[in-house]
Amino acid sequence: MNKRALCAAVVLIAAAGLSACGGSKDKKPGQSLVSVNGEEITITQLNEELQRANVQPAQQEAAKKQLLDSLVDRQLLLNEASKEKLDRDPRVVQAVERAKALVIAQAYMQKRVGAIAKPTKEEITAYFNEHPEFFSQRKQIDMKELVIATNAMTPALKAAMDGAKSLEEVAAWLDANKVGYSRAQIARTTADLPPELGSKLLSLPKGQLFIIKENERSLLIQISEIKDAPQTLAASENQIAQFLYNKKTKAAADAELARLRAAAKIEYLDKAAAPASASASASAAAPAASASSEADANARGVAGLK
């Protein structure tokens, strides 16, 4: 665990605790570990940081010292912020209220969906059998790519790409025309990619060139090899269980939001801000208390390919 990274995180979240600072001498619950200008840091606070950081048991002793050091840094920042009355800054107050609202909303959702049953062995096996493309018939697609700035994609370069049969031909053109680029090699399986994208890539012949645009950069990719990469049920069990649990959790969260919306009187005073449909609004409003299922898988696949 990097101490600098911890301190950076402290700075980012310090604003959320400003309303609690200000030289209060109230006794905090838990055994005191450190006093910072009279403000105590307790074992309860340290244990909470350990839990939030999800530190493995074997690393906890080393992590405790670093996390305690980060708590000292946080308290120092809070003390100085209080002296400068930053806790009264409208922007800080707004940020604190937003953080508070998110925490409370997420706590409610976690309470409502916290009793979701874990997937059974039968459910896990059924999912494995229903998706051979992810497991028993999984393929690995090896690709080479040239990474080029999107603003360098001139008509002449596009014409060179259209007429090229390999990345090397395009690289030679780029070198001759002094256009900067970088090379990379990537490998993705059909389990990493959205089904429609995986199917499309599998249908392409070896050596096929294609372009993916990603904002400020464009990727010219060539498939170098497609090979079998099967995965057994035993190796996939934990992954499938987590996926199915996340899917159940999301379904429960969506159902609870739908119930709350149906029971509430919601009036959009600014008609331009009204969503196209209630379902779209409910999806946009869901707290980030649970991981999404297919949408997350698709996002990971596209991001991975890019």
Side-chain angles (χ1 to χ4, degrees), residues 208-219:
Q208 177 69 52
L209 296 174
F210 60 94
I211 297 175
I212 290 181
K213 293 183 179 179
E214 188 187 49
N215 299 325
E216 297 180 356
R217 66 177 191 166
S218 294
L219 313 178

Side-chain angles (χ1 to χ4, degrees), residues 273-289:
S277 67
S279 59
S281 177
S283 176

Side-chain angles (χ1 to χ4, degrees), residues 21-304:
C21 70
S24 171
K25 303 301 180 182
D26 292 340
K27 185 74 173 180
K28 297 178 182 178
Q31 180 183 352
S32 297
L33 297 175
V34 182
S35 176
V36 181
N37 294 327
E39 294 288 343
E40 294 182 353
I41 297 173
T42 69
I43 186 67
T44 301
Q45 290 173 279
L46 179 58
N47 287 339
E48 184 179 358
E49 293 298 319
L50 279 170
Q51 184 177 4
R52 288 181 178 276
N54 197 25
V55 178
Q56 299 301 312
Q59 301 173 326
Q60 285 195 0
E61 284 306 312
K64 280 182 179 179
K65 296 179 181 179
Q66 295 179 351
L67 287 170
L68 184 58
D69 204 23
S70 75
L71 286 171
V72 171
D73 291 342
R74 181 190 302 177
Q75 191 61 54
L76 289 170
L77 290 170
L78 291 173
N79 291 347
E80 293 305 304
S82 179
K83 289 178 184 178
E84 296 183 15
K85 302 187 185 308
L86 287 178
D87 53 331
R88 302 179 188 178
D89 185 303
R91 292 172 298 177
V92 174
V93 171
Q94 184 177 17
V96 169
E97 289 303 313
R98 178 181 182 277
K100 179 180 176 181
L102 285 172
V103 169
I104 294 173
Q106 290 177 3
Y108 171 82
M109 189 62 77
Q110 287 169 353
K111 179 180 179 181
R112 295 292 297 186
V113 305
I116 300 297
K118 292 184 178 180
T120 65
K121 181 74 174 179
E122 291 73 18
E123 289 175 320
I124 293 171
T125 302
Y127 186 84
F128 178 88
N129 292 332
E130 289 167 5
H131 296 279
E133 71 277 13
F134 296 155
F135 306 109
S136 60
Q137 297 176 20
R138 188 179 70 166
K139 303 286 185 181
Q140 178 175 310
I141 306 170
D142 295 335
M143 295 168 276
K144 299 177 181 179
E145 67 180 20
L146 299 180
V147 183
I148 308 162
T150 297
N151 58 16
M153 296 291 290
T154 61
L157 174 53
K158 292 177 182 178
M161 289 180 174
D162 289 341
K165 296 183 179 179
S166 70
L167 284 184
E168 296 308 319
E169 289 184 29
V170 178
W173 189 96
L174 294 170
D175 289 335
N177 289 272
K178 296 181 171 54
V179 178
Y181 66 94
S182 62
R183 293 177 181 265
Q185 291 187 340
I186 54 178
R188 296 291 181 267
T189 71
T190 48
D192 303 325
L193 302 169
E196 64 277 9
L197 181 56
S199 298
K200 184 175 182 179
L201 292 181
L202 290 176
S203 69
L204 297 176
K206 182 179 178 179
Q208 177 69 52
L209 296 174
F210 60 94
I211 297 175
I212 290 181
K213 293 183 179 179
E214 188 187 49
N215 299 325
E216 297 180 356
R217 66 177 191 166
S218 294
L219 313 178
L220 179 63
I221 302 175
Q222 183 174 38
I223 297 176
S224 56
E225 187 176 3
I226 297 175
K227 55 190 177 184
D228 293 332
Q231 192 169 22
T232 64
L233 174 59
S236 311
E237 189 169 353
N238 290 339
Q239 177 187 359
I240 296 173
Q242 187 62 56
F243 171 82
L244 293 178
Y245 181 80
N246 290 345
K247 187 175 181 179
K248 288 183 177 182
T249 301
K250 181 179 183 299
D254 288 346
E256 177 61 14
L257 278 170
R259 183 188 72 81
L260 293 174
R261 282 183 164 271
K265 180 181 180 181
I266 303 174
E267 181 181 1
Y268 289 94
L269 304 180
D270 182 353
K271 301 304 180 184
S277 67
S279 59
S281 177
S283 176
S290 62
S292 61
S293 53
E294 291 86 359
D296 275 0
N298 289 354
R300 284 196 305 274
V302 174

